[in-house]
Amino acid sequence: MNEKEIISSNINKYMDLQRILKADDKETETLNQIRAVKAILEACGVVIEDLELK
């Protein structure tokens, strides 16, 4: 990953956090974002079961 990709990734994370803060329903917004990231990770072959907090 080059510097521009790292910057872009972190800008996206920052914007996602801002969307959560501004959302009327923070839980729904958070769950929607988790679904999207989960789908991307699974499409890339990453198993996320061990990453989920209990």
Side-chain angles (χ1 to χ4, degrees):
M1 184 179 275
N2 66 38
E3 183 179 351
K4 289 187 185 233
E5 290 171 325
I6 293 169
I7 291 169
S8 177
S9 176
N10 281 289
I11 288 171
N12 288 333
K13 287 179 192 179
Y14 180 79
M15 295 302 296
D16 289 343
L17 292 169
Q18 290 293 313
R19 277 194 275 285
I20 292 168
L21 284 174
K22 300 291 182 184
D24 291 331
D25 185 348
K26 291 174 182 20
E27 183 174 353
T28 299
E29 178 64 22
T30 303
L31 291 173
N32 288 337
Q33 289 189 34
I34 288 171
R35 279 188 205 90
V37 173
K38 183 177 179 180
I40 292 166
L41 289 171
E42 288 176 347
C44 293
V46 177
V47 178
I48 63 162
E49 287 179 358
D50 292 337
L51 299 176
E52 293 183 8
L53 301 177
K54 298 181 187 208

